[in-house]
Amino acid sequence: MIRRVHLIESGGRGGVFNHTVEVAAGLTALGVDVVVHTADDCDEVPASVALCRCVTWHRASPNRVVRQARTSARYLLRTLPHLHRAIGPEDVVHIQGMFALTPELVSVARRRGATVVASPHNTFVRSNAPGGGRALRSALHDTDRVLVYSDADRQNLLARGVTDVVRVPLVQWIPPVNPALVERWRTELKPAGGKLALLPGQVRADKNPELFVQAMAQLPDWRGAVVGDDLGPGRQVDALIEATGAAVTTAYRYLDVDEFTALVASADVVVAPYAVASQSGVLAVAARLGVPTAVAPCGGLGELATAVARDTSVAAIRDAIVAAHQLGAEPVDTADAANRFLHEYTATRQRRTNGPARSR
């Protein structure tokens, strides 16, 4: 028997957090004792989800080194000792996402005798992720099982020698769609009406926002929008919009889950022309809402998409946007996802205590 499931997601915001919340809500509905260990300033969650706000991020400091140092010190001195007290040998610890101190998290769970599974969410390390390589190695090689969210990732890891890796559904918690917020986004992003193609979420170079702008410049009957927290390329994107005359609006800011859900619901097509990806929480939100999606042929993106571009050229992305709109999409049912997670937790724990168990 599993006494408790500890879902550890240290960030408290964005796609990995909302995935963790949805898993917790589903497991709770099945009668499982679940707690989400996360940031003390995390985004909103459903009332049914039990939170332990045991992580403090010093987000206010303008100096990145200071932010990282203070956050890590607090994590080492307070969060890890707290987790050592909270975790027991009959528990399952599921580490969500990659954090610089993932190896220390794994070590604490191991010392307590718990079953440890990990979902790094990306099977690669971004260039600006401090400690990312160390964290990924620990997640892949020091845990009892790795849970990934695409067949592409599973095959990738099997080829890299990770033997116990299983695909599970990439679910995302979303609140009920607020019609007033949807209408506000539509008014802001396509004031004259027409069709809206959206590139939402963090604005990063690896998401190819400039490719999106170039594709929109070839779609005169469409409006485009790039909306999310700018992590670098915003200035270049705006310059390209001005140079090409593309009908694209940009809004660079962090969005809470209500705003983000309404933003995706306002789109006619969500676009993911990424250069590198494992899977995408943005696509999972769009799938749940029934919004068509157009993606580059990258990683596991095509497994959730409505239309996959033939390559990463401007023309191919343009054509995929049009195809996705023509095909349309129906909301994806994720009701069985919690059962899948519980099955993997149980099978992993059984293997640790009674020998190998066959996973589906």
Side-chain angles (χ1 to χ4, degrees):
M1 286 288 294
I2 297 172
R3 183 186 74 101
R4 179 173 295 158
V5 174
H6 300 268
L7 296 172
I8 303 178
E9 193 288 320
S10 298
R13 299 180 178 182
V16 178
F17 176 70
N18 288 325
H19 166 74
T20 305
V21 168
E22 181 69 1
V23 173
L27 291 170
T28 299
L30 294 176
V32 180
D33 185 354
V34 185
V35 61
V36 177
H37 301 272
T38 190
D40 55 12
D41 60 350
C42 65
D43 284 345
E44 67 170 290
V45 304
S48 65
V49 174
L51 293 180
C52 175
R53 303 172 188 264
C54 57
V55 181
T56 297
W57 287 81
H58 296 277
R59 306 186 198 268
S61 174
N63 187 298
R64 180 178 178 180
V65 174
V66 171
R67 292 198 307 270
Q68 292 171 350
R70 295 186 67 185
T71 298
S72 296
R74 175 73 177 252
Y75 208 95
L76 290 168
L77 295 174
R78 300 192 63 178
T79 303
L80 291 179
H82 156 72
L83 291 173
H84 190 274
R85 294 189 297 270
I87 295 168
E90 297 178 342
D91 296 350
V92 170
V93 173
H94 187 175
I95 300 171
Q96 294 274 1
M98 280 191 291
F99 180 55
L101 296 176
T102 293
E104 285 71 24
L105 276 174
V106 174
S107 177
V108 166
R110 286 283 191 221
R111 288 201 300 272
R112 298 297 295 147
T115 300
V116 187
V117 299
S119 294
H121 283 256
N122 290 325
T123 56
F124 57 91
V125 178
R126 300 193 192 282
S127 60
N128 64 345
R134 177 175 177 266
L136 182 59
R137 285 190 298 274
S138 182
L140 297 182
H141 298 292
D142 298 338
T143 57
D144 296 304
R145 177 161 293 176
V146 179
L147 303 184
V148 297
Y149 303 102
S150 69
D151 288 331
D153 266 1
R154 183 171 183 271
Q155 294 303 318
N156 178 307
L157 293 184
L158 288 172
R160 289 157 58 178
V162 182
T163 57
D164 200 342
V165 53
V166 179
R167 180 191 174 181
V168 289
L170 180 61
V171 292
Q172 294 280 298
W173 177 70
I174 56 173
V177 177
N178 184 327
L181 283 178
V182 174
E183 187 57 35
R184 191 199 73 188
W185 279 119
R186 287 176 176 161
T187 300
E188 178 179 343
L189 301 178
K190 53 174 185 177
K195 299 184 287 289
L196 175 66
L198 174 68
L199 179 59
Q202 290 182 339
V203 183
R204 303 190 309 263
D206 62 87
K207 284 188 168 184
N208 278 336
E210 291 162 309
L211 178 59
F212 172 77
V213 171
Q214 291 170 323
M216 295 311 303
Q218 297 186 8
L219 290 170
D221 297 330
W222 287 70
R223 293 284 308 184
V226 179
V227 182
D229 197 10
D230 179 18
L231 299 189
R235 186 174 299 177
Q236 292 93 328
V237 171
D238 289 339
L240 182 62
I241 292 169
E242 184 175 356
T244 60
V248 176
T249 301
T250 60
Y252 301 130
R253 67 179 188 273
Y254 175 76
L255 305 178
D256 65 25
V257 66
D258 291 290
E259 282 192 296
F260 188 81
T261 302
L263 171 67
V264 173
S266 74
D268 294 287
V269 175
V270 167
V271 187
Y274 304 167
V276 59
S278 283
Q279 190 44 276
S280 168
V282 170
L283 296 182
V285 171
R288 185 159 184 185
L289 292 172
V291 177
T293 51
V295 306
C298 174
L301 296 182
E303 297 171 33
L304 276 180
T306 308
V308 182
R310 59 187 176 271
D311 53 46
T312 55
S313 66
V314 172
I317 298 299
R318 175 202 65 202
D319 293 347
I321 293 170
V322 174
H325 185 254
Q326 291 173 342
L327 289 167
E330 295 293 329
V332 172
D333 183 3
T334 60
D336 190 50
N339 279 308
R340 291 286 305 280
F341 281 88
L342 183 57
H343 169 84
E344 297 306 334
Y345 296 158
T346 303
T348 308
R349 176 166 169 72
Q350 181 183 17
R351 191 189 67 172
R352 288 188 74 246
T353 56
N354 301 325
R358 189 174 182 179
S359 176
R360 69 180 181 185

